[in-house]
Amino acid sequence: MTYDETLGYLFTRLPMYQRVGKVAYKKDLTNTIQLLDFLGNPHRDFKSVHIAGTNGKGTSAHGIAAVLQTAGYKTGLYTSPHLKSFTERIRINGSEVSREFVIDFVERIKPAIEAINPSFFEITVAMAFEYFAAQKVDIAVIETGLGGRLDSTNVITPEACLITNIGLDHTDMLGDTLAKIAFEKAGIIKHGIPVVIGELMPETQPVFEEKARQEEAPMIYAPPKEWKPKTLVPNYLVKNFSGIYATIGELIRKGWKITEADILDGLDHLNALTGLKGRLQVLSERPLTIADVSHNTEGLRVLFSQMDSLCTGTILLVFGTVKDKDLNPIFQTFPSNARLYWTQSSVPRALPVEELAIQGVMNGKEGECFREVNEAIKQAKEKAGPDDLILITGSTFVVAEIEGL
Protein backbone atom coordinates (compact mmCIF):
# COMPACT_ATOMS: atom_id res chain seq x y z
CA MET A 1 0.00 0.00 0.00
CA THR A 2 1.03 3.61 -0.46
CA TYR A 3 1.17 5.95 2.54
CA ASP A 4 -2.22 7.47 1.67
CA GLU A 5 -3.72 4.00 1.22
CA THR A 6 -2.27 2.95 4.57
CA LEU A 7 -3.83 5.91 6.36
CA GLY A 8 -7.08 5.30 4.52
CA TYR A 9 -7.05 1.73 5.81
CA LEU A 10 -6.51 2.90 9.38
CA PHE A 11 -9.06 5.71 9.25
CA THR A 12 -11.82 3.67 7.62
CA ARG A 13 -11.32 0.35 9.35
CA LEU A 14 -10.53 1.53 12.85
CA PRO A 15 -12.70 3.88 14.93
CA MET A 16 -10.87 7.10 15.78
CA TYR A 17 -12.13 8.90 18.89
CA GLN A 18 -11.09 12.34 17.69
CA ARG A 19 -13.28 11.99 14.61
CA VAL A 20 -16.30 9.98 15.77
CA GLY A 21 -16.32 10.40 19.54
CA LYS A 22 -17.38 8.09 22.34
CA VAL A 23 -18.12 5.07 20.13
CA ALA A 24 -14.36 4.68 19.54
CA TYR A 25 -13.41 4.76 23.23
CA LYS A 26 -12.62 1.30 24.59
CA LYS A 27 -12.39 0.92 28.36
CA ASP A 28 -10.13 -2.08 28.19
CA LEU A 29 -6.41 -2.79 27.76
CA THR A 30 -6.88 -6.25 26.23
CA ASN A 31 -6.44 -5.16 22.62
CA THR A 32 -3.29 -3.18 23.38
CA ILE A 33 -1.78 -6.06 25.34
CA GLN A 34 -2.53 -8.49 22.48
CA LEU A 35 -1.04 -6.14 19.88
CA LEU A 36 2.12 -5.61 21.88
CA ASP A 37 2.45 -9.34 22.50
CA PHE A 38 2.20 -9.89 18.74
CA LEU A 39 5.10 -7.42 18.34
CA GLY A 40 7.25 -8.96 21.07
CA ASN A 41 6.37 -6.39 23.73
CA PRO A 42 8.49 -3.48 22.51
CA HIS A 43 7.31 -1.25 25.37
CA ARG A 44 9.63 -3.19 27.68
CA ASP A 45 12.70 -2.16 25.68
CA PHE A 46 12.89 1.56 26.51
CA LYS A 47 12.64 3.88 29.51
CA SER A 48 9.72 6.28 29.71
CA VAL A 49 7.90 9.10 31.46
CA HIS A 50 4.09 8.86 31.60
CA ILE A 51 1.85 11.95 31.66
CA ALA A 52 -1.89 12.27 32.31
CA GLY A 53 -4.16 15.20 33.12
CA THR A 54 -7.05 17.27 31.83
CA ASN A 55 -5.08 20.34 30.73
CA GLY A 56 -1.39 20.83 30.14
CA LYS A 57 -0.41 17.21 29.55
CA GLY A 58 0.51 17.83 25.91
CA THR A 59 2.64 20.89 26.57
CA SER A 60 4.16 19.21 29.62
CA ALA A 61 5.06 16.19 27.50
CA HIS A 62 6.70 18.41 24.89
CA GLY A 63 8.46 20.38 27.63
CA ILE A 64 9.95 17.32 29.31
CA ALA A 65 10.99 15.95 25.92
CA ALA A 66 12.70 19.25 25.06
CA VAL A 67 14.63 19.18 28.34
CA LEU A 68 15.74 15.58 27.80
CA GLN A 69 16.85 16.38 24.25
CA THR A 70 18.82 19.38 25.49
CA ALA A 71 20.49 17.13 28.05
CA GLY A 72 21.72 14.95 25.17
CA TYR A 73 19.31 12.04 25.36
CA LYS A 74 17.73 10.41 22.30
CA THR A 75 14.13 11.16 23.22
CA GLY A 76 10.92 9.68 21.89
CA LEU A 77 7.67 11.62 22.17
CA TYR A 78 4.17 10.22 21.75
CA THR A 79 1.24 12.66 21.79
CA SER A 80 -2.25 12.89 20.34
CA PRO A 81 -4.15 13.96 18.40
CA HIS A 82 -2.18 15.24 15.42
CA LEU A 83 -2.92 18.53 13.69
CA LYS A 84 -1.80 18.29 10.08
CA SER A 85 -0.04 14.96 9.69
CA PHE A 86 -0.50 11.57 11.33
CA THR A 87 3.27 11.31 11.77
CA GLU A 88 3.23 14.22 14.24
CA ARG A 89 2.08 11.75 16.90
CA ILE A 90 5.38 9.84 16.98
CA ARG A 91 8.68 11.73 17.10
CA ILE A 92 12.29 11.25 18.10
CA ASN A 93 14.26 14.40 18.94
CA GLY A 94 11.58 16.40 17.16
CA SER A 95 11.68 14.41 13.90
CA GLU A 96 8.45 12.68 12.92
CA VAL A 97 8.23 8.96 12.25
CA SER A 98 8.85 8.18 8.58
CA ARG A 99 6.00 7.37 6.24
CA GLU A 100 7.91 4.24 5.24
CA PHE A 101 7.82 2.96 8.82
CA VAL A 102 4.07 3.60 9.03
CA ILE A 103 3.47 1.63 5.82
CA ASP A 104 5.71 -1.24 6.86
CA PHE A 105 4.24 -1.42 10.35
CA VAL A 106 0.65 -1.63 9.17
CA GLU A 107 1.56 -4.29 6.59
CA ARG A 108 3.32 -6.38 9.24
CA ILE A 109 0.57 -6.07 11.81
CA LYS A 110 -2.38 -6.63 9.47
CA PRO A 111 -2.98 -10.20 10.67
CA ALA A 112 -3.28 -8.92 14.23
CA ILE A 113 -5.54 -6.06 13.13
CA GLU A 114 -7.85 -8.52 11.38
CA ALA A 115 -7.93 -10.82 14.41
CA ILE A 116 -8.15 -8.25 17.23
CA ASN A 117 -10.07 -5.39 15.53
CA PRO A 118 -8.38 -2.68 17.61
CA SER A 119 -9.18 1.02 17.72
CA PHE A 120 -7.18 3.63 15.82
CA PHE A 121 -5.59 4.79 19.08
CA GLU A 122 -4.60 1.27 20.11
CA ILE A 123 -2.83 0.73 16.78
CA THR A 124 -1.06 4.08 17.03
CA VAL A 125 0.20 3.38 20.55
CA ALA A 126 1.57 0.02 19.45
CA MET A 127 3.22 1.69 16.45
CA ALA A 128 4.88 4.30 18.66
CA PHE A 129 6.24 1.71 21.08
CA GLU A 130 7.57 -0.43 18.23
CA TYR A 131 9.27 2.60 16.67
CA PHE A 132 10.87 3.78 19.90
CA ALA A 133 12.21 0.29 20.59
CA ALA A 134 13.50 -0.17 17.04
CA GLN A 135 15.24 3.22 17.12
CA LYS A 136 16.72 2.47 20.55
CA VAL A 137 15.68 5.70 22.23
CA ASP A 138 17.20 6.49 25.60
CA ILE A 139 13.80 7.50 26.94
CA ALA A 140 10.30 8.26 25.62
CA VAL A 141 7.76 10.74 26.94
CA ILE A 142 4.29 9.23 26.65
CA GLU A 143 1.09 11.27 26.86
CA THR A 144 -2.13 9.45 27.69
CA GLY A 145 -5.16 9.79 25.46
CA LEU A 146 -8.32 9.80 27.58
CA GLY A 147 -8.21 9.07 31.27
CA GLY A 148 -5.29 6.96 32.35
CA ARG A 149 -6.39 3.81 34.15
CA LEU A 150 -7.66 2.09 31.01
CA ASP A 151 -5.82 4.22 28.46
CA SER A 152 -3.91 2.22 25.85
CA THR A 153 -0.62 3.79 26.95
CA ASN A 154 -1.04 2.43 30.47
CA VAL A 155 1.04 -0.70 29.88
CA ILE A 156 4.41 0.94 30.41
CA THR A 157 6.47 0.94 33.61
CA PRO A 158 7.87 4.47 33.57
CA GLU A 159 10.73 6.13 35.41
CA ALA A 160 8.26 8.71 36.73
CA CYS A 161 4.65 9.82 36.24
CA LEU A 162 3.14 13.29 36.07
CA ILE A 163 -0.53 14.18 36.54
CA THR A 164 -0.85 17.81 35.47
CA ASN A 165 -4.31 18.74 36.73
CA ILE A 166 -7.92 17.59 36.86
CA GLY A 167 -10.87 19.34 35.24
CA LEU A 168 -14.38 18.51 34.09
CA ASP A 169 -13.76 17.27 30.56
CA HIS A 170 -14.97 14.09 28.81
CA THR A 171 -17.40 13.63 31.68
CA ASP A 172 -19.53 11.23 29.63
CA MET A 173 -16.65 8.73 29.69
CA LEU A 174 -14.53 9.57 32.73
CA GLY A 175 -17.15 10.60 35.28
CA ASP A 176 -19.07 13.71 36.23
CA THR A 177 -17.06 14.80 39.28
CA LEU A 178 -13.44 15.82 39.80
CA ALA A 179 -12.97 12.85 42.12
CA LYS A 180 -14.22 10.36 39.53
CA ILE A 181 -12.00 11.84 36.83
CA ALA A 182 -9.05 11.85 39.23
CA PHE A 183 -9.62 8.14 39.84
CA GLU A 184 -9.20 7.47 36.12
CA LYS A 185 -6.10 9.67 35.83
CA ALA A 186 -4.60 8.10 38.97
CA GLY A 187 -4.59 4.79 37.13
CA ILE A 188 -1.16 5.62 35.72
CA ILE A 189 0.34 5.40 39.23
CA LYS A 190 2.46 2.23 39.36
CA HIS A 191 3.98 0.23 42.18
CA GLY A 192 7.00 2.03 43.57
CA ILE A 193 7.14 4.60 40.74
CA PRO A 194 7.26 8.27 41.81
CA VAL A 195 4.28 10.35 40.73
CA VAL A 196 4.25 14.13 40.58
CA ILE A 197 0.92 15.91 41.13
CA GLY A 198 1.05 19.22 39.33
CA GLU A 199 -1.93 20.88 41.01
CA LEU A 200 -3.21 20.40 44.54
CA MET A 201 -7.01 20.30 44.73
CA PRO A 202 -9.10 19.30 47.77
CA GLU A 203 -11.46 17.19 45.65
CA THR A 204 -8.69 15.11 44.08
CA GLN A 205 -6.04 14.96 46.80
CA PRO A 206 -7.60 11.99 48.70
CA VAL A 207 -7.95 10.03 45.44
CA PHE A 208 -4.30 10.42 44.52
CA GLU A 209 -3.08 9.76 48.06
CA GLU A 210 -5.08 6.55 48.33
CA LYS A 211 -3.86 5.22 44.99
CA ALA A 212 -0.25 6.11 45.83
CA ARG A 213 -0.62 4.37 49.20
CA GLN A 214 -1.98 1.23 47.54
CA GLU A 215 0.89 1.18 45.05
CA GLU A 216 3.55 2.20 47.61
CA ALA A 217 4.45 4.94 45.16
CA PRO A 218 6.26 8.09 46.29
CA MET A 219 3.92 11.03 45.65
CA ILE A 220 5.26 14.54 45.18
CA TYR A 221 3.07 17.63 45.15
CA ALA A 222 5.01 19.91 42.81
CA PRO A 223 6.25 22.86 44.89
CA PRO A 224 5.71 26.28 43.28
CA LYS A 225 8.58 27.12 40.96
CA GLU A 226 8.91 30.44 39.18
CA TRP A 227 10.00 30.54 35.55
CA LYS A 228 10.48 33.65 33.42
CA PRO A 229 10.57 32.46 29.80
CA LYS A 230 12.67 34.38 27.29
CA THR A 231 10.16 33.84 24.49
CA LEU A 232 6.38 34.11 24.11
CA VAL A 233 4.94 30.88 25.53
CA PRO A 234 1.43 29.92 26.65
CA ASN A 235 0.54 30.84 30.21
CA TYR A 236 -0.60 27.27 30.69
CA LEU A 237 2.97 26.12 30.01
CA VAL A 238 4.20 28.56 32.67
CA LYS A 239 1.46 27.23 34.96
CA ASN A 240 2.68 23.67 34.40
CA PHE A 241 6.36 24.53 34.88
CA SER A 242 6.30 23.41 38.52
CA GLY A 243 5.09 19.94 37.52
CA ILE A 244 7.65 19.68 34.72
CA TYR A 245 10.46 20.81 37.02
CA ALA A 246 9.48 18.35 39.77
CA THR A 247 9.24 15.47 37.28
CA ILE A 248 12.70 16.25 35.91
CA GLY A 249 13.86 16.29 39.53
CA GLU A 250 12.63 12.72 39.97
CA LEU A 251 14.56 11.67 36.86
CA ILE A 252 17.70 13.33 38.22
CA ARG A 253 17.27 11.40 41.47
CA LYS A 254 17.21 8.22 39.39
CA GLY A 255 20.53 9.07 37.81
CA TRP A 256 19.59 10.95 34.65
CA LYS A 257 22.15 13.68 33.96
CA ILE A 258 20.14 16.89 33.56
CA THR A 259 21.25 20.36 34.60
CA GLU A 260 19.33 23.51 35.51
CA ALA A 261 20.60 25.02 32.26
CA ASP A 262 19.19 22.05 30.31
CA ILE A 263 15.77 22.69 31.83
CA LEU A 264 15.64 26.41 31.10
CA ASP A 265 17.25 26.19 27.66
CA GLY A 266 15.06 23.26 26.64
CA LEU A 267 11.83 25.00 27.59
CA ASP A 268 12.86 28.29 25.97
CA HIS A 269 13.40 26.40 22.68
CA LEU A 270 10.52 23.96 23.09
CA ASN A 271 8.85 24.55 19.72
CA ALA A 272 12.06 24.27 17.69
CA LEU A 273 13.19 21.15 19.56
CA THR A 274 9.95 19.19 19.49
CA GLY A 275 7.96 20.59 16.56
CA LEU A 276 5.08 21.62 18.78
CA LYS A 277 2.22 23.26 16.88
CA GLY A 278 -1.06 24.87 17.81
CA ARG A 279 -0.09 26.10 21.26
CA LEU A 280 -0.12 29.89 21.25
CA GLN A 281 1.22 29.65 17.69
CA VAL A 282 1.70 33.08 16.13
CA LEU A 283 0.53 32.98 12.52
CA SER A 284 1.08 36.65 11.65
CA GLU A 285 1.71 40.10 13.14
CA ARG A 286 -0.42 43.28 12.89
CA PRO A 287 -2.97 42.15 13.41
CA LEU A 288 -1.49 39.61 15.77
CA THR A 289 -3.05 36.28 14.77
CA ILE A 290 -2.75 33.31 17.13
CA ALA A 291 -3.92 29.69 16.93
CA ASP A 292 -4.35 27.58 20.05
CA VAL A 293 -5.92 24.15 20.57
CA SER A 294 -7.36 24.86 24.05
CA HIS A 295 -10.82 23.36 24.11
CA ASN A 296 -12.22 23.08 27.64
CA THR A 297 -13.26 25.54 30.32
CA GLU A 298 -10.05 25.60 32.35
CA GLY A 299 -7.73 25.76 29.34
CA LEU A 300 -9.73 28.45 27.60
CA ARG A 301 -9.95 30.58 30.73
CA VAL A 302 -6.15 30.66 30.98
CA LEU A 303 -5.81 31.33 27.24
CA PHE A 304 -8.32 34.18 27.16
CA SER A 305 -6.68 35.80 30.18
CA GLN A 306 -3.36 35.84 28.34
CA MET A 307 -4.98 37.24 25.20
CA ASP A 308 -6.44 40.10 27.24
CA SER A 309 -2.93 40.97 28.42
CA LEU A 310 -1.53 40.90 24.87
CA CYS A 311 -4.26 42.84 23.09
CA THR A 312 -4.64 46.62 23.19
CA GLY A 313 -7.60 46.59 20.78
CA THR A 314 -10.42 44.13 20.16
CA ILE A 315 -10.15 40.33 20.25
CA LEU A 316 -11.67 38.77 17.14
CA LEU A 317 -12.46 35.22 18.24
CA VAL A 318 -12.78 32.50 15.59
CA PHE A 319 -14.34 29.68 17.57
CA GLY A 320 -15.57 26.16 16.80
CA THR A 321 -16.06 23.10 18.94
CA VAL A 322 -17.33 19.51 19.02
CA LYS A 323 -20.70 18.04 19.87
CA ASP A 324 -19.90 16.47 23.25
CA LYS A 325 -19.18 19.67 25.18
CA ASP A 326 -21.11 21.56 27.84
CA LEU A 327 -20.71 25.02 26.34
CA ASN A 328 -22.43 27.03 29.08
CA PRO A 329 -19.36 27.35 31.33
CA ILE A 330 -17.10 27.79 28.30
CA PHE A 331 -19.09 30.79 27.08
CA GLN A 332 -18.64 32.40 30.48
CA THR A 333 -14.86 32.46 29.93
CA PHE A 334 -15.07 34.51 26.71
CA PRO A 335 -13.46 37.96 26.76
CA SER A 336 -16.12 40.58 27.29
CA ASN A 337 -14.97 42.66 24.32
CA ALA A 338 -14.60 39.78 21.86
CA ARG A 339 -16.12 39.95 18.37
CA LEU A 340 -17.30 36.41 17.60
CA TYR A 341 -16.87 34.40 14.40
CA TRP A 342 -18.52 30.99 14.80
CA THR A 343 -17.19 28.18 12.64
CA GLN A 344 -16.88 24.40 12.43
CA SER A 345 -14.33 21.84 11.30
CA SER A 346 -15.08 19.14 8.76
CA VAL A 347 -14.89 16.13 11.13
CA PRO A 348 -18.09 14.22 12.04
CA ARG A 349 -17.77 15.28 15.70
CA ALA A 350 -17.88 18.97 14.85
CA LEU A 351 -20.78 20.92 16.31
CA PRO A 352 -22.65 22.44 13.35
CA VAL A 353 -22.07 26.17 13.30
CA GLU A 354 -25.83 26.89 13.36
CA GLU A 355 -26.20 24.96 16.63
CA LEU A 356 -23.17 26.72 18.06
CA ALA A 357 -24.68 30.09 17.19
CA ILE A 358 -28.00 29.16 18.83
CA GLN A 359 -26.27 28.10 22.03
CA GLY A 360 -24.25 31.30 21.89
CA VAL A 361 -27.37 33.46 21.68
CA MET A 362 -28.85 31.56 24.64
CA ASN A 363 -25.76 32.63 26.60
CA GLY A 364 -25.77 36.22 25.40
CA LYS A 365 -23.02 35.62 22.81
CA GLU A 366 -23.87 36.66 19.26
CA GLY A 367 -21.60 36.30 16.26
CA GLU A 368 -21.33 35.67 12.54
CA CYS A 369 -21.46 32.11 11.19
CA PHE A 370 -19.02 30.50 8.75
CA ARG A 371 -19.12 26.84 7.75
CA GLU A 372 -15.45 26.85 6.79
CA VAL A 373 -12.61 27.74 9.15
CA ASN A 374 -10.48 29.67 6.70
CA GLU A 375 -13.44 31.75 5.52
CA ALA A 376 -14.05 32.79 9.13
CA ILE A 377 -10.37 33.74 9.49
CA LYS A 378 -10.49 35.69 6.21
CA GLN A 379 -13.49 37.69 7.38
CA ALA A 380 -11.87 38.37 10.75
CA LYS A 381 -8.71 39.66 9.03
CA GLU A 382 -10.75 41.96 6.83
CA LYS A 383 -12.43 43.49 9.88
CA ALA A 384 -9.39 43.64 12.16
CA GLY A 385 -7.48 46.81 12.92
CA PRO A 386 -3.70 46.83 13.43
CA ASP A 387 -4.03 46.77 17.23
CA ASP A 388 -6.65 44.01 17.28
CA LEU A 389 -5.91 40.35 17.94
CA ILE A 390 -7.34 37.39 16.03
CA LEU A 391 -7.56 34.16 18.02
CA ILE A 392 -8.52 30.81 16.45
CA THR A 393 -9.40 28.21 19.08
CA GLY A 394 -12.02 25.92 20.63
CA SER A 395 -11.10 22.63 18.97
CA THR A 396 -8.00 20.82 17.77
CA PHE A 397 -9.80 20.25 14.49
CA VAL A 398 -10.55 23.91 13.93
CA VAL A 399 -6.84 24.71 14.33
CA ALA A 400 -5.85 21.76 12.15
CA GLU A 401 -7.78 23.20 9.20
CA ILE A 402 -5.95 26.52 9.18
CA GLU A 403 -4.19 26.92 5.85
CA GLY A 404 -0.43 27.13 6.07
CA LEU A 405 -0.26 26.13 9.74
Side-chain angles (χ1 to χ4, degrees), residues 227-234 237-238 241 260-270:
W227 171 45
K228 295 181 179 179
K230 296 178 181 177
T231 58
L232 177 63
V233 300
L237 176 59
V238 177
F241 176 69
E260 186 84 5
D262 292 331
I263 298 173
L264 300 178
D265 193 45
L267 291 175
D268 275 325
H269 298 89
L270 184 153

Side-chain angles (χ1 to χ4, degrees), residues 243-260:
I244 293 171
Y245 192 90
T247 305
I248 295 296
E250 293 306 306
L251 294 179
I252 293 171
R253 270 185 274 280
K254 288 201 166 187
W256 295 85
K257 305 300 182 185
I258 306 166
T259 68
E260 186 84 5

Side-chain angles (χ1 to χ4, degrees), residues 17-280:
Y17 170 77
Q18 280 79 19
R19 293 182 63 84
V20 301
K22 186 176 180 180
V23 67
Y25 179 56
K26 297 185 178 181
K27 287 193 173 185
D28 195 298
L29 293 176
T30 303
N31 287 356
T32 303
I33 292 169
Q34 289 178 344
L35 284 173
L36 292 172
D37 187 59
F38 178 85
L39 292 166
N41 294 306
H43 61 298
R44 298 175 183 170
D45 294 337
F46 58 87
K47 304 290 186 180
S48 60
V49 177
H50 205 188
I51 303 177
T54 302
N55 291 305
K57 61 180 178 175
T59 46
S60 294
H62 282 80
I64 291 172
V67 170
L68 288 165
Q69 288 174 231
T70 303
Y73 293 107
K74 187 176 184 179
T75 306
L77 176 62
Y78 175 76
T79 59
S80 63
H82 62 271
L83 282 176
K84 289 293 189 182
S85 170
F86 171 82
T87 54
E88 293 170 21
R89 293 170 177 252
I90 305 169
R91 302 175 190 171
I92 296 177
N93 284 3
S95 297
E96 298 174 15
V97 63
S98 69
R99 292 185 172 195
E100 291 73 22
F101 182 88
V102 175
I103 295 168
D104 175 69
F105 178 84
V106 174
E107 289 284 2
R108 285 189 291 116
I109 205 172
K110 260 189 176 180
I113 292 175
E114 302 292 336
I116 300 169
N117 195 33
S119 72
F120 177 93
F121 189 78
E122 289 163 339
I123 281 282
T124 308
V125 167
M127 185 187 299
F129 292 171
E130 172 84 346
Y131 186 62
F132 295 152
Q135 295 296 314
K136 294 181 169 54
V137 299
D138 295 316
I139 191 167
V141 183
I142 309 297
E143 177 197 13
T144 61
L146 289 174
R149 181 174 65 97
L150 297 175
D151 186 79
S152 298
T153 64
N154 201 29
V155 294
I156 56 176
T157 302
E159 295 284 278
C161 300
L162 168 62
I163 301 175
T164 56
N165 78 343
I166 302 299
L168 292 173
D169 199 15
H170 303 298
T171 54
D172 54 336
M173 288 166 284
L174 302 181
D176 57 3
T177 68
L178 293 176
K180 289 178 181 177
I181 295 172
F183 175 78
E184 296 299 329
K185 309 287 186 183
I188 71 168
I189 300 174
K190 304 291 195 309
H191 183 77
I193 305 299
V195 56
V196 173
I197 307 300
E199 184 176 333
L200 181 61
M201 302 173 69
E203 300 94 334
T204 62
Q205 182 177 354
V207 179
F208 293 141
E209 292 180 351
E210 174 61 19
K211 178 63 174 177
R213 185 194 64 78
Q214 292 173 0
E215 298 294 340
E216 298 179 347
M219 187 172 69
I220 302 94
Y221 287 109
K225 182 71 177 178
E226 186 179 4
W227 171 45
K228 295 181 179 179
K230 296 178 181 177
T231 58
L232 177 63
V233 300
N235 278 354
Y236 49 79
L237 176 59
V238 177
K239 179 182 178 183
N240 283 285
F241 176 69
S242 296
I244 293 171
Y245 192 90
T247 305
I248 295 296
E250 293 306 306
L251 294 179
I252 293 171
R253 270 185 274 280
K254 288 201 166 187
W256 295 85
K257 305 300 182 185
I258 306 166
T259 68
E260 186 84 5
D262 292 331
I263 298 173
L264 300 178
D265 193 45
L267 291 175
D268 275 325
H269 298 89
L270 184 153
N271 287 27
L273 288 166
T274 65
L276 179 64
K277 295 180 180 179
R279 270 79 167 188
L280 208 74

